[in-house]
Amino acid sequence: MTATDEDLGVAVATWGLPGAAVPFPSAPLPDERWQALSAAVRKARISGLFAGAVAGGAMPVTPAQRQDVAALHAQAMAVTVVLDRLLIELSTRLGDAEVDHRVLKGAAVAHTTYPDPSWRQYGDVDLLVPSAHYDRALAVLAAAGCERSRPQLRPGFDRRFGKGTTLRSADGHWVDVHRTLVMGPFGLSIRTDDLFTDATPFTVAGHTVQGLGRDLRFLHACYNAALGDTHPRLLALRDIAEMVLHDAVDTEAALSLAAAWEGRVVVARAVQLTWERLRIADRVPLSEWAGRYRPSRSEARALLRHLGAGRRYARTALASLRAISGLRAKAGYLYALALPSRAFLDERDLGPVQWLRKGRDSVLRNGASR
Amino acid sequence: MTPTGAGQPARTGPVADAAEQGVRWVRADPVVWRRSLDQVVLLPPAAGEPMALSGAAVAAWELLAQPQPLAALVATLAELYDVRPEAIEPDVAALLTRLRELAAVRCEP
């Protein structure tokens, strides 16, 4: 994308936000620019904001362009209503089985954070369950026709050490079942019990489900934006901006929790990225704090390990080992890494010896790069 | 996705009977839907895939947030679109029939 195309993307991503500083064009775009913008909106999954900007008159369009936007957004909304129906079914089944759970990300953010859920599209269902209920949750979802997309390292690994599991529903939609908010040492440092201390109820077609509490939801958005991709999506940043500017996050409470999770650097990075990339003019206490934040050496190292070039497996594994408490748990983690299940290896077309060699080579490369 | 406008041929039967009994029409709870620019995208319980409402059907859907008899719905839409009620009643009745078949709306006394 050219610099000007990036401006347009940011204008769309910040439509409706106070302090949005990037203007829309004053006239409909010529064809080639319009095609580029539409493609960028589709890729960034911000069709809801695009439709809002057109409907509200902020983005001038020709009649044909308006039809393009309508088609793009309607397509996205067709996916979200199917996912909402799936969410209702799965949440009902989990509730009937007395499995505590929270709805995360897309559906939860759309219904609790945005003024209009049609502004926020999503492409899958995300659920969080307590570690103690993890296996039972997966059994309930399997009975609903949701199958694992990939085998876990060893039986019980995902429940004990993983971020979660990805399932595929009977009609082909992705269902992510989370145990914590992010993979690796940052995820292992999260006190997962904290995630269930609060909740935000919301209704989907008359059915009440539980999302994370407001401050937890904000923290999750930060972890997702700061650690999910090296270059976070505009939508992930818009979520954070929406929460900070409209959702009245309790800064002190959120940062206190982040500190307990050794994640203040994550929040700082997420908010810094949001304000910089979305070019938000309004300054609020949290954005000021993030701008002034200076990570400690250990925080900087932890962030670099997570985001560093190639995200080397050995580096992440070793850092995860440090984050795991207790010798027995550390031993279980190492055992799983060294001796994965046959199903795990078969899925990757590897034998046990090849797997060990890959691990050895990765460790050696990690040592060489220090 | 299946488009549904308000231009269907008139049908007699359940909607006419309901009108005579003075029942009111309202959106059914378990319908997932979203507003999308000039359309409404919805997934009624009895539908296998999402459908889109456009034109006057969108206005009807918005009005059906509150229970109301057919006559009131028709009168409001007629005023909105500056047409005679009798000109649009068959189309509105057809729309309600279709939405009820899909369990997107229900009748209440």
Side-chain angles (χ1 to χ4, degrees):
Chain A
M1 269 177 19
T2 66
T4 311
D5 285 346
E6 168 118 12
D7 287 346
L8 290 174
V10 171
V12 173
T14 56
W15 171 77
L17 274 181
V22 181
F24 283 94
S26 54
L29 292 174
D31 229 24
E32 201 175 301
R33 297 287 316 282
W34 176 254
Q35 297 302 330
L37 177 59
S38 298
V41 164
R42 183 188 296 271
K43 189 175 174 187
R45 299 186 196 165
I46 50 177
S47 68
L49 300 169
F50 202 25
V54 168
M59 175 81 204
V61 290
T62 64
Q65 290 172 347
R66 187 183 175 92
Q67 282 186 341
D68 286 348
V69 176
L72 179 63
H73 188 234
Q75 205 174 40
M77 292 300 99
V79 173
T80 61
V81 294
V82 170
L83 291 174
D84 276 2
R85 180 192 267 184
L86 176 62
L87 169 62
I88 292 169
E89 184 202 341
L90 298 183
S91 178
T92 302
R93 284 176 178 258
L94 288 170
D96 289 346
E98 295 182 356
V99 174
D100 197 6
H101 58 284
R102 299 287 185 271
V103 181
L104 298 181
K105 298 175 80 177
V109 173
H111 284 95
T112 61
T113 299
Y114 284 77
D116 182 340
S118 71
W119 291 13
R120 177 57 159 92
Q121 71 181 89
Y122 37 98
D124 58 11
V125 173
D126 286 271
L127 300 168
L128 174 76
V129 297
S131 296
H133 294 179
Y134 198 77
D135 291 339
R136 191 146 57 96
L138 292 185
V140 169
L141 297 177
C146 297
E147 293 181 351
R148 268 186 183 273
S149 62
R150 306 188 85 177
Q152 55 183 327
L153 205 56
R154 283 199 70 83
F157 184 88
D158 289 349
R159 172 178 48 78
R160 296 177 72 190
F161 308 116
K163 170 191 168 187
T165 305
T166 299
L167 309 177
R168 193 131 195 173
S169 71
D171 56 356
H173 295 285
W174 295 112
V175 179
D176 286 331
V177 186
H178 299 250
R179 186 194 71 84
T180 185
L181 303 184
V182 69
M183 62 175 281
F186 280 112
L188 289 162
S189 297
I190 292 172
R191 300 182 318 201
T192 52
D193 287 349
D194 288 347
L195 300 172
F196 292 88
T197 55
D198 194 11
T200 305
F202 61 96
T203 56
V204 181
H207 182 95
T208 301
V209 291
Q210 304 292 330
L212 289 175
R214 180 198 55 199
D215 302 330
L216 291 165
R217 187 167 65 244
F218 165 70
L219 289 177
H220 187 201
C222 288
Y223 274 72
N224 185 47
L227 304 176
D229 294 297
T230 310
H231 300 290
R233 292 172 182 269
L234 288 173
L235 187 59
L237 302 179
R238 172 57 189 255
D239 285 351
I240 292 172
E242 194 73 40
M243 290 175 194
V244 173
L245 294 171
H246 284 152
D247 213 11
V249 171
D250 183 337
T251 304
E252 198 178 319
L255 290 180
S256 171
L257 208 44
W261 296 355
E262 299 174 44
R264 280 163 58 97
V265 66
V266 177
V267 177
R269 172 178 157 83
V271 174
Q272 270 177 15
L273 282 171
T274 299
W275 252 252
E276 280 167 16
R277 188 127 172 254
L278 297 187
R279 300 180 230 167
I280 298 170
D282 281 12
R283 294 284 178 243
V284 296
L286 196 52
S287 69
E288 299 282 9
W289 168 84
R292 288 191 309 265
Y293 192 82
R294 295 293 170 263
S296 66
R297 282 176 63 183
S298 61
E299 285 180 327
R301 272 201 306 269
L303 208 51
L304 190 62
R305 269 195 300 266
H306 192 99
L307 297 168
R311 299 199 187 192
R312 292 194 181 132
Y313 185 74
R315 183 179 285 166
T316 306
L318 287 172
S320 295
L321 188 66
R322 280 192 282 273
I324 293 168
S325 303
L327 279 176
R328 192 171 175 148
K330 286 183 197 290
Y333 182 74
L334 281 174
Y335 181 76
L337 285 184
L339 295 170
S341 67
R342 170 55 64 187
F344 179 88
L345 291 173
D346 285 349
E347 204 259 345
R348 285 156 179 77
D349 213 21
L350 291 171
V353 173
Q354 285 172 296
W355 173 258
L356 285 171
R357 279 188 188 141
K358 277 173 74 79
R360 177 203 66 192
D361 293 345
S362 185
V363 168
L364 289 174
R365 273 198 305 273
N366 182 57
S369 70
R370 284 174 184 239
Chain B
M1 196 162 49
T2 310
T4 298
Q8 310 283 327
R11 298 188 195 183
T12 57
V15 174
D17 292 343
E20 283 178 13
Q21 293 161 28
V23 297
R24 300 180 303 166
W25 297 83
V26 70
R27 285 186 219 153
D29 260 344
V31 178
V32 194
W33 68 278
R34 293 285 195 281
R35 186 76 194 239
S36 178
L37 218 60
D38 306 319
Q39 299 178 55
V40 162
V41 175
L42 64 159
L43 184 58
E49 59 174 31
M51 57 187 287
L53 302 178
S54 58
V58 171
W61 180 255
E62 299 278 9
L63 290 168
L64 286 166
Q66 300 301 324
Q68 51 196 291
L70 172 65
L73 184 61
V74 168
T76 306
L77 289 171
E79 190 175 337
L80 204 56
Y81 289 93
D82 196 23
V83 296
R84 287 171 26 243
E86 49 271 30
I88 60 167
E89 181 167 337
D91 293 337
V92 177
L95 175 65
L96 291 178
T97 299
R98 180 70 183 129
L99 291 177
R100 190 162 80 165
E101 284 168 0
L102 295 171
V105 298
R106 58 182 171 82
C107 294
E108 60 176 46

